[in-house]
Amino acid sequence: MTKVVLFVIPIILGTFYVFGRLQRRYTQMMQEAVASANQIATERFSNVRTVRMLVAEKKEQAAYIERMMEIWRISKLEGIARGAMFGGFQFTGYFAMTVVLYYGSSLIGQGLLTYGDLSSFCLYAVFCATSLGNLSNFYTELMKGLGASSRLFELKNRVPAIPLTGGIKAEHLIGEIHFESVAFAYPNREESPIFTDINLKIPAGKITAVVGPSGSGKSTLAQLILRLYDPDQGRITVDGVDLKEYDPSWWRRQIGTVSQEPVLFSTTIWNNIAYGAEKAEEVENGRVQQAAQQSNSLEFIHDFPDGFQTLVGELGSSMLSGGQKQRIAIARALIMNPRILVMDEATSALDATSEYLVRQALSKLLANSHQTVLIIAHRLSTIKHADQIAVLDKGTIVELGTFEDLMRIEDGVFKKLVEKQTIGWREDSF
Ligand SMILES: Nc1ncnc2c1ncn2[C@@H]1O[C@H](COP(=O)(O)OP(=O)(O)OP(=O)(O)O)[C@@H](O)[C@H]1O
């Protein structure tokens, strides 16, 4: 009888093992499916106006249902596996018990076993089976936990390619940036390099405008300056020292950035502007007001009933126009009076009046600027303020000089951009 019981134990343990692994896999699959469904829901709900404008409600509904069906499919697989395990477990247990009872009765018939021995054997076997059942629950929960946490640990153990801190913090930054034979491709598109050989000196305290056809890598240039990526070849130096030697967080704090489509957080205008400072709670009220003034925002902020305490961002973004957002982002970049300014000029989402006000803010800023400024420029009005213009095309700087220098190049890329009105299409309104 003991042999019968010992024979079924490996079968039960084998079932546990197989099901445990399945459970782990299904938990991972379920996590991915739920994350994907949530991603769709969050993205589409936060852009519900675009969905409505493109009459894509049905399409989005179908896409969400598809993700839900995937969750349903995985749940069914998990249910079938769980059912098969418990079914198999029960079947093996009852089968073993039947064999024990049958064999035990025949032994009783032969006078080799008493009723008492058989009942106590059965009782112990049931105790063992119940404990094994409890163990199986524990094991499947453990496997579920392992499946769920493995992705978490994977993320936790990831080491960023560029550390957050560590390196030189220069006391007197002059702010001259030099690209020396820089080649770069985004890590997820190594086969199509953005830059093959960039050589560019961005002089300290001067305004450098970068222009070029759409997709030529103007924003990428700004990302390399911010050290969001490192070049694959060549190097970027700041005041003659390789950028990699500086403390990345310290370096980014020296730079005020305004991106093409700035993001505001779901909090007050005051907090959004002060966010640019290292310790937002220590920023003086006067400094916030000054940054708002410099960016042409003060007037419209005062027009709101709650002034600087007006809620913006995800919760209240509808209250701000594209141009107002852009001007708040300029104020946020200016709050710490950064040594270097990197600006990606807005090309979209601005109506003529907002655009005019943003350009006026930028022009005022650039005209009085003593900072090193790199501006990704789309308009003549901005470009004309520049001390030098770098023209990006096909992975390299093809032309460099002042506006007049570049307009003198026959068949030049810059001249063509101006003539095709890719640059400066609203110059007259300024
Ligand atoms: N994170 C990324 N991963 C992979 N490729 C990217 C990434 N960001 C941009 N690219 C690609 O790099 C190229 C250059 O993009 P970038 O945004 O620097 O161009 P741009 O000159 O600023 O364009 P635009 O004037 O239209 O804003 C484009 O082909 C773009 O598709």
Side-chain angles (χ1 to χ4, degrees):
M1 286 192 300
T2 311
K3 274 185 198 154
V4 174
V5 173
L6 288 180
F7 176 73
V8 297
I9 284 180
I11 300 177
I12 291 176
L13 290 181
T15 317
F16 283 174
Y17 178 73
V18 173
F19 179 68
R21 291 186 73 90
L22 277 179
Q23 182 76 61
R24 193 170 164 173
R25 217 177 84 210
Y26 291 146
T27 308
Q28 275 169 348
M29 282 164 71
M30 183 65 96
Q31 262 189 333
E32 274 159 32
V34 171
S36 155
N38 284 346
Q39 190 195 2
I40 286 217
T42 316
E43 198 179 292
R44 302 316 192 262
F45 276 126
S46 50
N47 295 300
V48 71
R49 284 184 202 175
T50 313
V51 174
R52 187 133 294 176
M53 278 189 273
L54 298 172
V55 200
E57 293 92 342
K58 289 239 160 68
K59 204 162 47 180
E60 293 306 344
Q61 207 177 9
Y64 190 67
I65 289 174
E66 199 183 304
R67 303 299 151 114
M68 283 293 142
M69 290 312 285
E70 178 64 10
I71 295 177
W72 170 234
R73 192 184 67 82
I74 299 167
S75 305
K76 264 200 311 197
L77 280 178
E78 194 195 337
I80 291 170
R82 187 182 281 268
M85 187 199 81
F86 281 108
F89 180 55
Q90 301 263 329
F91 176 80
T92 319
Y94 284 119
F95 178 74
M97 188 58 85
T98 315
V99 173
V100 164
L101 284 175
Y102 179 77
Y103 185 54
S105 339
S106 72
L107 287 180
I108 291 171
Q110 290 166 36
L112 295 171
L113 196 73
T114 64
Y115 283 115
D117 289 340
L118 182 61
S119 6
S120 35
F121 185 87
C122 288
L123 197 67
Y124 292 139
V126 168
F127 279 153
C128 284
T130 316
S131 311
L132 266 180
N134 290 338
L135 208 64
S136 85
N137 279 341
F138 171 71
Y139 184 66
T140 48
E141 288 305 314
L142 190 75
M143 283 301 156
K144 254 186 179 175
L146 277 178
S149 58
S150 58
R151 179 88 184 112
L152 204 67
F153 283 117
E154 214 176 278
L155 291 175
K156 184 180 164 283
N157 294 335
R158 264 179 78 161
V159 181
I162 299 169
L164 273 181
T165 50
I168 307 171
K169 295 178 182 176
E171 282 197 11
H172 302 291
L173 182 74
I174 300 165
E176 180 173 278
I177 304 168
H178 197 172
F179 281 71
E180 297 175 7
S181 310
V182 167
F184 175 73
Y186 279 101
N188 55 348
R189 279 204 215 151
E190 279 176 357
E191 68 293 349
S192 46
I194 309 293
F195 301 138
T196 46
D197 185 21
I198 296 275
N199 286 291
L200 174 66
K201 194 178 266 183
I202 301 170
K206 300 255 163 76
I207 301 168
T208 300
V210 180
V211 298
S214 178
S216 55
K218 301 179 293 290
S219 305
T220 308
L221 206 68
Q223 297 195 34
L224 288 181
I225 292 178
L226 280 157
R227 219 187 149 206
L228 300 182
Y229 298 93
D230 279 332
D232 298 328
Q233 280 168 33
R235 60 178 198 155
I236 301 168
T237 63
V238 176
D239 299 343
V241 178
D242 195 328
L243 187 53
K244 289 182 188 168
E245 312 240 334
Y246 288 100
D247 180 292
S249 294
W250 171 85
W251 167 242
R252 287 176 198 134
R253 234 171 258 131
Q254 312 307 312
I255 308 174
T257 350
V258 183
S259 59
Q260 230 179 58
E261 281 164 24
V263 172
L264 298 186
F265 296 105
S266 301
T267 177
T268 59
I269 293 182
W270 200 98
N271 284 340
N272 265 295
I273 298 179
Y275 190 83
E278 192 178 350
K279 289 185 181 155
E281 60 287 354
E282 288 175 17
V283 177
E284 287 165 18
N285 215 8
R287 186 70 201 104
V288 175
Q289 301 254 0
Q290 194 188 0
Q293 171 129 42
Q294 283 174 311
S295 65
N296 255 3
S297 321
L298 206 51
E299 203 175 314
F300 82 80
I301 295 173
H302 282 320
D303 283 345
F304 290 136
D306 295 328
F308 276 94
Q309 296 310 314
T310 308
L311 275 176
V312 292
E314 280 274 298
L315 295 177
S317 59
S318 53
M319 297 179 63
L320 291 191
S321 71
Q324 288 169 335
K325 269 195 199 173
Q326 190 97 23
R327 280 179 278 161
I328 301 241
I330 296 175
R332 179 169 64 189
L334 294 177
I335 189 84
M336 280 305 278
N337 200 12
R339 193 69 213 92
I340 296 158
L341 271 175
V342 174
M343 302 212 179
D344 209 338
E345 204 176 44
T347 50
S348 54
L350 300 192
D351 57 66
T353 320
S354 300
E355 191 189 306
Y356 169 76
L357 290 165
V358 171
R359 275 188 293 136
Q360 207 185 34
L362 277 185
S363 304
K364 203 165 66 181
L365 198 74
L366 297 183
N368 305 318
S369 170
H370 303 295
Q371 290 138 322
T372 305
V373 179
L374 179 91
I375 182 150
I376 297 164
H378 297 274
R379 294 181 189 90
L380 280 180
S381 51
T382 320
I383 291 164
K384 279 183 175 165
H385 279 299
D387 297 293
Q388 68 168 10
I389 302 163
V391 185
L392 249 182
D393 195 23
K394 300 192 177 77
T396 179
I397 303 285
V398 286
E399 291 165 15
L400 182 70
T402 60
F403 182 80
E404 289 72 24
D405 292 343
L406 299 187
M407 286 304 281
R408 273 198 290 271
I409 305 174
E410 275 309 314
D411 276 342
V413 178
F414 182 75
K415 196 172 176 188
K416 278 187 193 154
L417 282 174
V418 175
E419 281 168 358
K420 275 195 262 166
Q421 298 197 333
T422 313
I423 297 171
W425 58 286
R426 267 190 191 155
E427 195 205 4
D428 294 341
S429 63
F430 184 64

